[in-house]
Amino acid sequence: MKKLLLSVFILICLGLIGLYVFIPGSIKISKLIFLKSNLAVTNRFLMDENNWSKWLSRDSGNSVQVNPVNRNLSFKNYDYHIGNAIMNTVQVSISNNQKSTASLMRLIPIKEDTVAVEWKVEINSSLNPINRIKSYGEAKQLEKDMGDILKNLQHFLEKKGNAYGLNITQQQVVDTILISTKYISKTFPSTEEIYSLINNLHTYILKEGAEETNPPMLNITNESNTYRTMVAIPINKIISERNNYVFKRMVPGKILVAEVRGGDYTARQALKQLDLYINDNHLSSPAIPFESLITNRPLEQDTTKWITKIYYPIY
């Protein structure tokens, strides 16, 4: 009987020793992923908690609750508080059942179009063997959730169009011969005012014996509380300039193109996203951007059906 009790005691001691060896006092979790994305884009979507909800739920079916006041997000089994972001590093506090653990996310630029995201956290386990096992289970669950979060970020940013809400392509300039006219106003131009300019161009092109090669182009610039509205139409040959009709020639270089559906606001937001794209990718523009009015807007009253192509020359 004594031998049996001694054997049981030895087994318990060995089990406890194994437990304390297998589960250290400090459980370290480290996750690392590589993204086909540039540093500026990844930084914008990771450092700002308002952008987390755009990519965190992705296709997982998990609801994401965001509290912009205290910068908290709830996802799966844990709450995440986005802290200070300095030099491509952000502090993330992870909590569950009133326990909070500090973690650190770091962005590491690998190449111009590749970024590594490293996420590290350290969990202190209890001396109590039961609580120690419980801490280990919680750590494994947290490790899985952290992996899911990073995978969602990866899938979101690597899917074309997600980073800017647009499918942006790079093409070569085709229409190099244009005839243009402009209009200055104190208020944002109406559809009627824009198409009055376009119709005048239609008449002038016909009178000069030229042919239109693509839909009208539009650029609206706000300058010192006035709006400068310029419209142009691509044509097949050089024609004379007269009065307010000015001949223009575009350089046959590179141009960014994106197509949107919606009214004026949608088109202006798309232009802002293209500005972001140009800054993120360290590009420059030799000329003003413009909208190509695919839909004849006066004939379609429903602005949600308007199709506009945004063009932005680059080099």
Side-chain angles (χ1 to χ4, degrees), residues 169-181:
T169 60
Q170 182 177 297
Q171 300 178 12
Q172 288 294 123
V173 172
V174 176
D175 297 310
T176 59
I177 302 174
L178 312 170
I179 190 70
S180 70
T181 188

Side-chain angles (χ1 to χ4, degrees), residues 44-46 48-49 51-60 64 105 119 148-157:
R44 187 161 55 249
F45 277 89
L46 197 57
D48 185 351
E49 78 281 357
N51 282 327
W52 276 52
S53 59
K54 296 177 182 178
W55 56 266
L56 192 54
S57 58
R58 203 180 58 86
D59 301 323
S60 64
V64 179
M105 272 189 183
W119 193 358
D148 289 343
I149 287 173
L150 292 181
K151 284 178 184 175
N152 282 7
L153 176 67
Q154 182 182 43
H155 292 158
F156 179 88
L157 289 182

Side-chain angles (χ1 to χ4, degrees), residues 49-240:
E49 78 281 357
N50 294 314
N51 282 327
W52 276 52
S53 59
K54 296 177 182 178
W55 56 266
L56 192 54
S57 58
R58 203 180 58 86
D59 301 323
S60 64
N62 293 286
S63 62
V64 179
Q65 298 177 358
V66 181
N67 186 332
V69 176
N70 55 19
R71 306 187 76 186
N72 278 347
L73 304 107
S74 297
F75 178 76
K76 286 191 173 181
N77 302 285
Y78 293 90
D79 295 329
Y80 301 88
H81 173 74
I82 314 303
N84 295 328
I86 303 173
M87 294 294 292
N88 301 324
T89 301
V90 62
Q91 298 173 345
V92 182
S93 177
I94 306 170
S95 59
N96 184 21
N97 298 326
Q98 298 182 344
K99 289 195 305 182
S100 182
T101 304
S103 73
L104 210 60
M105 272 189 183
R106 187 161 64 105
L107 302 186
I108 308 167
I110 306 299
K111 294 190 297 184
E112 188 174 338
D113 64 344
T114 305
V115 178
V117 181
E118 182 185 52
W119 193 358
K120 288 185 175 182
V121 63
E122 193 169 323
I123 299 173
N124 293 323
S125 57
S126 173
L127 290 174
N128 183 305
I130 295 175
N131 290 336
R132 202 177 186 94
I133 294 171
K134 185 179 178 182
S135 295
Y136 178 76
E138 289 177 350
K140 297 304 289 183
Q141 180 61 64
L142 176 58
E143 184 177 28
K144 181 181 182 304
D145 288 1
M146 287 168 58
D148 289 343
I149 287 173
L150 292 181
K151 284 178 184 175
N152 282 7
L153 176 67
Q154 182 182 43
H155 292 158
F156 179 88
L157 289 182
E158 291 187 348
K159 186 175 180 181
K160 201 171 185 179
N162 278 346
Y164 302 96
L166 298 168
N167 183 15
I168 301 171
T169 60
Q170 182 177 297
Q171 300 178 12
Q172 288 294 123
V173 172
V174 176
D175 297 310
T176 59
I177 302 174
L178 312 170
I179 190 70
S180 70
T181 188
K182 63 183 179 180
Y183 166 69
I184 306 296
S185 62
K186 291 292 185 181
T187 58
F188 191 86
S190 66
T191 300
E192 290 75 17
E193 289 171 325
I194 292 169
Y195 273 84
S196 174
L197 295 176
I198 292 172
N199 290 333
N200 289 340
L201 280 180
H202 286 319
T203 302
Y204 187 72
I205 292 168
L206 189 63
K207 182 179 178 181
E208 292 294 313
E211 295 179 4
E212 300 177 18
T213 58
N214 261 315
M217 298 153 58
L218 169 68
N219 174 273
I220 302 172
T221 305
N222 189 352
E223 298 176 338
S224 303
N225 297 320
T226 62
Y227 291 90
R228 187 192 67 177
T229 302
M230 180 180 293
V231 297
I233 295 179
I235 53 178
N236 66 334
K237 67 177 185 178
I238 298 173
I239 60 177
S240 61

